Short mmCIF file of all heavy atoms in Angstrom, two decimals:
data_model
loop_
_atom_site.label_atom_id
_atom_site.label_comp_id
_atom_site.label_asym_id
_atom_site.label_seq_id
_atom_site.Cartn_x
_atom_site.Cartn_y
_atom_site.Cartn_z
N LYS T 125 -0.81 77.76 -38.06
CA LYS T 125 0.28 76.77 -37.69
C LYS T 125 -0.42 75.48 -37.29
O LYS T 125 -1.32 75.46 -36.50
CB LYS T 125 1.13 77.30 -36.57
CG LYS T 125 2.29 76.37 -36.22
CD LYS T 125 3.11 76.95 -35.10
CE LYS T 125 3.89 78.18 -35.46
NZ LYS T 125 4.68 78.70 -34.34
N VAL T 126 0.08 74.40 -37.85
CA VAL T 126 -0.41 73.04 -37.52
C VAL T 126 0.73 72.18 -37.18
O VAL T 126 1.74 72.07 -37.88
CB VAL T 126 -1.27 72.50 -38.66
CG1 VAL T 126 -1.67 71.06 -38.36
CG2 VAL T 126 -2.42 73.38 -38.93
N LYS T 127 0.64 71.40 -36.03
CA LYS T 127 1.57 70.42 -35.67
C LYS T 127 0.93 69.03 -35.88
O LYS T 127 -0.19 68.77 -35.43
CB LYS T 127 1.99 70.55 -34.17
CG LYS T 127 2.84 71.77 -33.93
CD LYS T 127 3.35 71.87 -32.62
CE LYS T 127 4.21 73.12 -32.31
NZ LYS T 127 4.79 73.23 -30.94
N ILE T 128 1.70 68.14 -36.52
CA ILE T 128 1.18 66.88 -36.98
C ILE T 128 2.11 65.76 -36.60
O ILE T 128 3.35 65.80 -36.78
CB ILE T 128 0.98 66.81 -38.49
CG1 ILE T 128 0.17 67.97 -38.93
CG2 ILE T 128 0.33 65.49 -38.93
CD1 ILE T 128 0.17 68.29 -40.45
N ASP T 129 1.63 64.65 -36.02
CA ASP T 129 2.39 63.48 -35.70
C ASP T 129 2.79 62.80 -37.01
O ASP T 129 1.93 62.43 -37.83
CB ASP T 129 1.47 62.47 -34.94
CG ASP T 129 2.29 61.33 -34.38
OD1 ASP T 129 3.07 60.74 -35.12
OD2 ASP T 129 2.10 60.91 -33.20
N ALA T 130 4.04 62.70 -37.23
CA ALA T 130 4.59 62.24 -38.53
C ALA T 130 4.42 60.71 -38.64
O ALA T 130 4.59 60.20 -39.77
CB ALA T 130 6.09 62.59 -38.66
N SER T 131 4.03 60.02 -37.59
CA SER T 131 3.77 58.61 -37.62
C SER T 131 2.35 58.26 -37.89
O SER T 131 2.02 57.57 -38.83
CB SER T 131 4.28 57.95 -36.31
OG SER T 131 3.93 56.58 -36.30
N SER T 132 1.46 58.86 -37.12
CA SER T 132 0.08 58.52 -37.19
C SER T 132 -0.75 59.45 -38.13
O SER T 132 -1.82 59.13 -38.60
CB SER T 132 -0.54 58.52 -35.83
OG SER T 132 -0.53 59.86 -35.28
N GLY T 133 -0.21 60.66 -38.37
CA GLY T 133 -0.91 61.62 -39.09
C GLY T 133 -1.84 62.40 -38.37
O GLY T 133 -2.65 63.28 -38.82
N GLU T 134 -1.89 62.24 -36.97
CA GLU T 134 -2.83 62.94 -36.09
C GLU T 134 -2.43 64.37 -35.93
O GLU T 134 -1.19 64.74 -35.73
CB GLU T 134 -2.81 62.30 -34.72
CG GLU T 134 -3.75 62.99 -33.75
CD GLU T 134 -3.62 62.47 -32.32
OE1 GLU T 134 -2.80 61.46 -32.15
OE2 GLU T 134 -4.23 62.94 -31.47
N ILE T 135 -3.37 65.34 -36.05
CA ILE T 135 -3.11 66.75 -35.82
C ILE T 135 -3.04 66.98 -34.34
O ILE T 135 -4.01 66.73 -33.61
CB ILE T 135 -4.18 67.61 -36.41
CG1 ILE T 135 -4.10 67.57 -38.01
CG2 ILE T 135 -4.00 69.12 -35.98
CD1 ILE T 135 -5.11 68.42 -38.72
N LEU T 136 -1.84 67.37 -33.81
CA LEU T 136 -1.67 67.48 -32.38
C LEU T 136 -2.09 68.88 -31.84
O LEU T 136 -2.58 69.01 -30.76
CB LEU T 136 -0.18 67.21 -32.04
CG LEU T 136 0.34 65.89 -32.54
CD1 LEU T 136 1.84 65.77 -32.27
CD2 LEU T 136 -0.34 64.76 -31.81
N LYS T 137 -1.81 69.90 -32.75
CA LYS T 137 -2.13 71.27 -32.29
C LYS T 137 -2.32 72.12 -33.56
O LYS T 137 -1.70 71.94 -34.54
CB LYS T 137 -0.98 71.81 -31.44
CG LYS T 137 -1.23 73.14 -30.83
CD LYS T 137 -0.06 73.58 -29.90
CE LYS T 137 -0.37 74.86 -29.32
NZ LYS T 137 0.80 75.36 -28.45
N ALA T 138 -3.32 73.02 -33.47
CA ALA T 138 -3.56 73.93 -34.60
C ALA T 138 -3.91 75.28 -33.99
O ALA T 138 -4.67 75.36 -33.04
CB ALA T 138 -4.67 73.41 -35.48
N LYS T 139 -3.39 76.31 -34.57
CA LYS T 139 -3.74 77.71 -34.05
C LYS T 139 -3.62 78.72 -35.14
O LYS T 139 -2.90 78.49 -36.16
CB LYS T 139 -2.83 78.09 -32.90
CG LYS T 139 -1.42 78.47 -33.17
CD LYS T 139 -0.73 78.94 -32.02
CE LYS T 139 0.72 79.33 -32.34
NZ LYS T 139 1.46 79.91 -31.13
N SER T 140 -4.36 79.82 -35.12
CA SER T 140 -4.28 80.89 -36.03
C SER T 140 -4.29 82.16 -35.22
O SER T 140 -4.80 82.34 -34.19
CB SER T 140 -5.51 80.75 -37.01
OG SER T 140 -6.71 80.99 -36.25
N GLU T 141 -3.66 83.24 -35.84
CA GLU T 141 -3.66 84.55 -35.27
C GLU T 141 -3.59 85.61 -36.35
O GLU T 141 -3.23 85.32 -37.50
CB GLU T 141 -2.40 84.67 -34.32
CG GLU T 141 -1.04 84.48 -35.03
CD GLU T 141 0.07 84.48 -34.01
OE1 GLU T 141 -0.11 84.28 -32.83
OE2 GLU T 141 1.23 84.63 -34.46
#
Side-chain angles (χ1 to χ4, degrees):
K125 183 183 292 185
V126 174
K127 291 185 178 182
I128 307 163
D129 188 317
S131 175
S132 66
E134 177 189 359
I135 293 179
L136 304 173
K137 188 176 181 180
K139 70 174 184 176
S140 63
E141 57 186 19

